[in-house]
Amino acid sequence: MTMTTATTAARSPVADEARAVMLTRVAIIATVLLLWEGMAQSGLLYKDVVPSLTLIVRELGLVLLDRSFYADLGITTGEVALATVIGGGAGILTGMALGKSRFLQQAYEPFLHYLGPTPKIIFFPILIMWFGVGPGSKVAMGALSCFFPVAISVAGGMREIDKVLIRVGLSFRLTNWQMTSKIYLPAMRAPVINGIRIGLGVAIIGTLLAETKLANQGLGYAVIRTYATFDMPKMYALLIIVFMLAVGINVMLGRYTELRTKA
């Protein structure tokens, strides 16, 4: 009985903090929605620029019932997935190489930090010339966006690996592949997943941005089409869906990171 009471008392501050965090998030969302609806009803802006929440929710339902939306969603999902695999894989390999070699770190890593914050859309004309106007250029745009945060995160993670683990692997004369699969990747699981989380986010942005510039399918094209026809409620509905999908994927990766770290 005493142990149960003590456990409950120890957990209550944590539970109270989690409850307070959740209430704060709900309050922020409610405040934003109220401010939006107030702006829509005030008439300060043209009503179609800031449509009411009722119109947006209605369009949201119509979009979810539209088959063409799922076709666009499938195209964009495939492009983002392939971009993340290519850009993330290249980022992991590059980050490991930079983390292992002090020479490569000093010679090449500054370029990652210089080019990383650069808006990748400036390279899109080059990507179009290289990969054409089809899905290839969109995948390349997403992969380029994804590469930098993954490479930087993995390079930093490589330098944080316990040297004892590396010496143990070398003492057993493990091959490069065995060192990678049994020492490096397990030891820097968190940096890899966090880098991919960030890389996935910017890959989504890069792919959608490329679709808005030159495409006839995909979610980015659907968004820019609604903007061109000044269908603002539908545009906001599509943006909400994209936002929720990105948040959902990010949350799942975050949960996976927590579970693997505790394991």
Side-chain angles (χ1 to χ4, degrees):
M1 183 69 177
T2 305
M3 292 180 62
T4 304
T5 305
T7 303
T8 304
R11 290 179 179 176
S12 59
V14 177
D16 291 341
E17 182 179 358
R19 191 180 300 110
V21 170
M22 181 59 66
L23 291 175
T24 301
R25 290 176 179 175
V26 171
I28 292 173
I29 295 173
T31 301
V32 171
L33 293 177
L34 288 173
L35 289 174
W36 182 278
E37 188 63 22
M39 184 65 70
Q41 299 298 332
S42 67
L44 295 177
L45 294 175
Y46 187 58
K47 63 178 181 178
D48 287 337
V49 174
V50 184
S52 68
L53 295 176
T54 304
L55 291 175
I56 295 176
V57 172
R58 186 183 68 182
E59 285 296 331
L60 185 60
L62 293 174
V63 167
L64 294 176
L65 293 174
D66 187 359
R67 290 184 179 181
S68 64
F69 162 73
Y70 293 99
D72 289 330
L73 175 62
I75 291 169
T76 300
T77 300
E79 291 173 347
V80 171
L82 186 56
T84 304
V85 170
I86 296 173
I92 290 173
L93 294 176
T94 302
M96 291 177 60
L98 295 177
K100 288 174 60 177
S101 171
R102 184 176 179 83
F103 172 78
L104 293 178
Q105 172 193 346
Q106 294 178 342
Y108 295 105
E109 192 164 342
F111 291 109
L112 292 181
H113 294 281
Y114 297 150
L115 293 174
T118 304
K120 307 306 180 296
I121 194 63
I122 64 174
F123 300 109
F124 191 51
I126 300 174
L127 298 179
I128 292 174
M129 289 189 293
W130 287 359
F131 301 101
V133 297
S137 57
K138 285 72 177 176
V139 172
M141 185 69 188
L144 181 63
S145 302
C146 179
F147 168 78
F148 290 96
V150 175
I152 292 172
S153 180
V154 172
M158 280 289 293
R159 289 190 282 271
E160 296 298 324
I161 296 177
D162 191 342
K163 302 303 180 184
V164 174
L165 295 175
I166 298 177
R167 287 197 292 268
V168 169
L170 294 175
S171 67
F172 280 97
R173 298 182 179 179
L174 299 181
T175 63
N176 288 332
W177 169 249
Q178 290 173 327
M179 287 290 293
T180 299
S181 61
K182 299 181 182 297
I183 303 293
Y184 298 144
L185 290 179
M188 57 177 184
R189 185 183 299 116
V192 170
I193 296 177
N194 287 332
I196 292 176
R197 288 177 64 184
I198 299 173
L200 175 62
V202 293
I204 293 173
I205 295 172
T207 303
L208 290 175
L209 192 57
E211 288 180 347
T212 64
K213 297 297 182 182
L214 185 65
N216 57 5
Q217 54 189 356
L219 289 181
Y221 168 72
V223 170
I224 204 65
R225 183 178 57 195
T226 58
Y227 172 79
T229 58
F230 212 69
D231 190 354
M232 294 296 111
K234 186 174 183 179
M235 186 189 77
Y236 287 120
L238 288 170
L239 292 176
I240 289 172
I241 292 173
V242 172
F243 173 76
M244 294 304 297
L245 288 173
V247 169
I249 295 172
N250 215 337
V251 168
M252 287 191 293
L253 287 174
R255 297 289 185 186
Y256 177 78
T257 305
E258 293 177 3
L259 292 175
R260 298 297 294 179
T261 301
K262 292 178 181 178

